[in-house]
Amino acid sequence: MSFGQGGPFDGPGGSFSSTPDWDALAEESEAQSRRKRWMWIGGGALATVAVAGIVAAAVMAGGDSPGGNPTAAPTSSGQATAPDDKPSFPDVSVPPPPNPQDYISDPKKDTAPLTPATLFPQKTMVIGEHSYPRTSTASTKDCTAAAQGALVSSLSHNGCKQLLRATYAKGGVAVTIGIAVFDSPAKATKVMNEARTNLMPLPGGGVPSDFCQGHKCRMATNATGRYAYFTIAGYLNGKDVVTSETKARQIARDGGSYAFTQITQRGKDQAAKAAERQLKEAQKKAGRSS
């Protein structure tokens, strides 16, 4: 082995030179620079993806479009619901409808015109399958003038205000209906309970003047509200009404049903007008409060 000045030394791990390898160092430095640039680029890309994810989550949670304009939240069907822009109106509080019975029981409410034309307006009395032409009508505030026998004192003592009558005839029989008006239902009921049914028959229009005078006729009385009503029915030829006959009994029953219908219809008509007034007043109040 020889030693020379500046000669190499071979050892177990390879070779060593006292002069640096500048080319190798330059290549290694360049490689490190490239690695750093790629790390910066990769990190920036990850940051961009993360920001985009946050923005997307915010859009989905907040329901806002990327431009910042609010949008309607989707419904279960995938369609956006429009804002509720329908105008709101105040509720109209309407009282319960009036009771027709109140209008035929209270004189302060029962103010509609009361004449034969309003109480017996139809020219024909129709009850079910039966019909009877009207022959005459009458009205008096002297109730005793349209009564006879025990009914005179009953009407007078209970303060009868008016008595209206109408007669209907057909097939040889006729019926006179009388409707008496009082201040209260109690007085009308009292007259009914006294059962003094002697109404004065009303002739005319083919009904003879002696109708139900001097011979037996069928009589009845009833009441509703502040009205008591009476019927007297019989044969036009003066024949007595007996228990077994049917024609006079039928027209008497129909006359009573018709009187009740006319009185109750009077209550219904007045109650309907009152309900209409109440509705208009409620609508006016609602209009002022809106």
Side-chain angles (χ1 to χ4, degrees):
M1 178 177 296
S2 62
F3 296 91
Q5 190 178 11
F9 172 74
D10 293 330
S15 62
F16 174 80
S17 174
S18 60
T19 302
D21 188 349
W22 298 108
D23 293 334
L25 292 173
E27 291 177 0
E28 183 177 356
S29 177
E30 180 65 24
Q32 290 179 355
S33 298
R34 285 197 300 270
R35 283 196 298 272
K36 289 181 180 181
R37 285 197 301 271
W38 282 111
M39 289 177 66
W40 279 108
I41 294 173
L46 291 174
T48 302
V49 172
V51 171
I54 294 172
V55 172
V59 170
M60 293 178 66
D64 291 342
S65 64
N69 294 324
T71 58
T75 63
S76 59
S77 62
Q79 297 179 349
T81 58
D84 187 8
D85 56 356
K86 294 181 180 179
S88 60
F89 297 96
D91 293 335
V92 178
S93 179
V94 181
N99 185 353
Q101 191 69 20
D102 293 343
Y103 286 82
I104 57 173
S105 300
D106 186 353
K108 294 181 180 179
K109 293 183 177 181
D110 190 10
T111 58
L114 187 57
T115 65
T118 61
L119 200 56
F120 308 109
Q122 296 88 4
K123 293 182 178 181
T124 301
M125 175 178 69
V126 179
I127 301 293
E129 297 178 353
H130 305 130
S131 62
Y132 311 90
R134 188 184 64 201
T135 60
S136 58
T137 61
S139 177
T140 179
K141 291 185 178 181
D142 180 8
C143 298
T144 61
Q148 57 186 349
L151 182 58
V152 173
S153 61
S154 181
L155 294 176
S156 178
H157 292 159
N158 289 284
C160 177
K161 300 298 180 183
Q162 188 177 359
L163 182 56
L164 302 97
R165 291 177 295 167
T167 298
Y168 301 85
K170 185 179 181 180
V173 293
V175 61
T176 295
I177 302 169
I179 298 179
V181 188
F182 299 88
D183 284 336
S184 68
K187 291 183 177 181
T189 301
K190 186 177 179 181
V191 170
M192 177 190 69
N193 291 334
E194 288 176 354
R196 298 172 180 177
T197 58
N198 304 84
L199 180 70
M200 180 72 73
L202 181 65
V207 176
S209 58
D210 62 347
F211 169 62
C212 284
Q213 298 289 319
H215 54 272
K216 294 180 180 179
C217 287
R218 180 178 293 275
M219 297 180 288
T221 182
N222 212 323
T224 182
R226 67 188 189 109
Y227 297 85
Y229 54 97
F230 314 89
T231 58
I232 181 168
Y235 289 93
L236 296 176
N237 60 7
K239 175 183 174 181
D240 287 339
V241 176
V242 296
T243 305
S244 59
E245 63 80 32
T246 58
K247 292 183 67 175
R249 180 173 59 185
Q250 184 64 58
I251 196 172
R253 288 179 176 177
D254 290 342
S257 297
Y258 185 70
F260 175 78
T261 300
Q262 295 305 107
I263 297 169
T264 55
Q265 186 61 48
R266 176 178 174 84
K268 292 176 181 179
D269 292 342
Q270 293 183 93
K273 291 181 179 179
E276 185 178 356
R277 289 193 299 268
Q278 290 176 352
L279 178 59
K280 289 181 179 179
E281 290 174 0
Q283 290 174 336
K284 287 181 180 179
K285 290 180 180 179
R288 288 194 298 266
S289 61
S290 62

